[in-house]
Amino acid sequence: MLWDHLFIISDFKLDVDSPYPKIDSVALFKKPEPLEYPQKKIEYKHYGSYIKAVIDKAVDLDEEVKAEMSKYIASYMKLVHRSWNNETVNDEIVKNDLVRMSNGKLKLEDDENIRQLMKTGSNGPNNTNRNNPNNNRNNNNSNNNNKKRKNKNRSNNYPNQGGGQRNR
C-alpha cells in the first residue's frame, strides 16, 4: 500500500526497486463497467413494488380474508402515499387504485373511511402504547407513592425526628 501511494504521488515516474510489483496506472484509473439495474415497470411508483406483490397474494385468498386484507392494504397504501407525496390523500383515490391494481378483485365499501382503519390498525394487542401520555402520569404516581413509603419508614426508624413511632 505504501509503495502504491508513492508511485501514485510521483505520477508513476519513481524509479526504485520495491518489494512489491509496480501498479499499472491504466488499470488503476480505469472506469468500472456500469451495473445493470433491474428494469421493472412499476405502474404505481408511489406505492412501490411491494404493495403489488401483497395485492397479488391477497387476490388468491377466500372472500372473508380478502375483504379484511383489503382494509389493511388500503390503509398501507394511504400511509405510503402520504409519505411519498407529503400531502393529504383522498380515500377515493386509494380505493380506485386498489381496484385497478387488483383488476377489480379487491374492493372497499364506498362508506368505509381509510383514516379510521389506520387508527384501529395501529392499536393492536402487541402495541405498547409508548406515546400514551397517561403512561407517564401513572409512572409519576407510582414514584410519588414510593417516596411516601420511604418517608414513613424513615419516621419509624428515628423516633425523635418527625412523627415518632406508630402504634399498630
Side-chain angles (χ1 to χ4, degrees), residues 24 30 38 44-45 47 50 53 59 96 120 123 125 127 152 162:
D24 185 22
K30 180 182 173 187
Y44 297 92
K45 288 185 181 182
Y47 295 126
Y50 173 74
V59 165
N96 291 336
T120 58
N123 285 333
N127 188 3
K152 285 181 183 178

Side-chain angles (χ1 to χ4, degrees), residues 8 14 18 56 66 68-69 81 87 94 98 101 130 144 146 164:
I8 292 170
L14 186 63
S18 71
D56 291 342
K66 190 187 297 187
E68 193 66 27
M69 282 298 293
H81 196 287
E87 60 187 36
V94 174
L98 178 64
M101 290 175 79
R130 286 184 222 147
N144 289 337
N146 290 337

Side-chain angles (χ1 to χ4, degrees), residues 5-103:
H5 288 278
L6 284 173
F7 287 122
I8 292 170
I9 290 171
S10 70
D11 201 25
F12 300 97
K13 295 177 183 172
L14 186 63
D15 187 25
V16 292
D17 293 329
S18 71
Y20 300 102
K22 187 176 180 181
I23 59 172
D24 185 22
S25 64
V26 176
L28 182 67
F29 296 113
K30 180 182 173 187
K31 281 189 169 182
E33 294 293 322
L35 292 175
E36 290 188 30
Y37 292 101
Q39 299 295 325
K40 292 182 184 177
K41 183 180 181 250
I42 302 173
E43 190 173 349
Y44 297 92
K45 288 185 181 182
H46 52 281
Y47 295 126
S49 60
Y50 173 74
I51 198 69
K52 182 62 177 159
V54 171
I55 288 172
D56 291 342
K57 295 272 185 183
V59 165
D60 297 333
L61 301 173
D62 57 325
E63 290 302 318
E64 187 176 314
V65 178
K66 190 187 297 187
E68 193 66 27
M69 282 298 293
S70 297
K71 295 176 184 177
Y72 289 113
I73 291 171
S75 176
Y76 182 74
M77 287 171 68
K78 185 169 183 175
L79 179 78
V80 171
H81 196 287
R82 282 179 48 206
S83 66
W84 184 267
N85 292 319
N86 234 3
E87 60 187 36
T88 58
V89 183
N90 187 352
D91 288 354
E92 294 304 315
I93 293 172
V94 174
K95 289 177 187 178
N96 291 336
D97 287 348
L98 178 64
V99 170
R100 275 191 228 112
M101 290 175 79
S102 67
N103 296 325

Side-chain angles (χ1 to χ4, degrees), residues 111-161:
D111 60 342
E112 280 189 280
N113 188 353
I114 297 176
R115 181 178 297 155
Q116 290 176 348
L117 296 174
M118 289 173 65
K119 287 182 182 176
T120 58
S122 65
N123 285 333
N126 295 330
N127 188 3
T128 58
N129 252 342
R130 286 184 222 147
N131 296 329
N132 189 346
N134 292 330
N135 283 345
N136 199 17
R137 199 173 298 137
N138 290 337
N139 288 338
N140 289 339
N141 287 340
S142 65
N143 289 339
N144 289 337
N145 290 337
N146 290 337
K147 288 177 187 176
K148 289 177 186 176
R149 283 189 205 116
K150 286 180 184 177
N151 289 337
K152 285 181 183 178
N153 290 338
R154 285 184 187 151
S155 64
N156 288 341
N157 293 336
Y158 304 104
N160 294 338
Q161 296 178 0

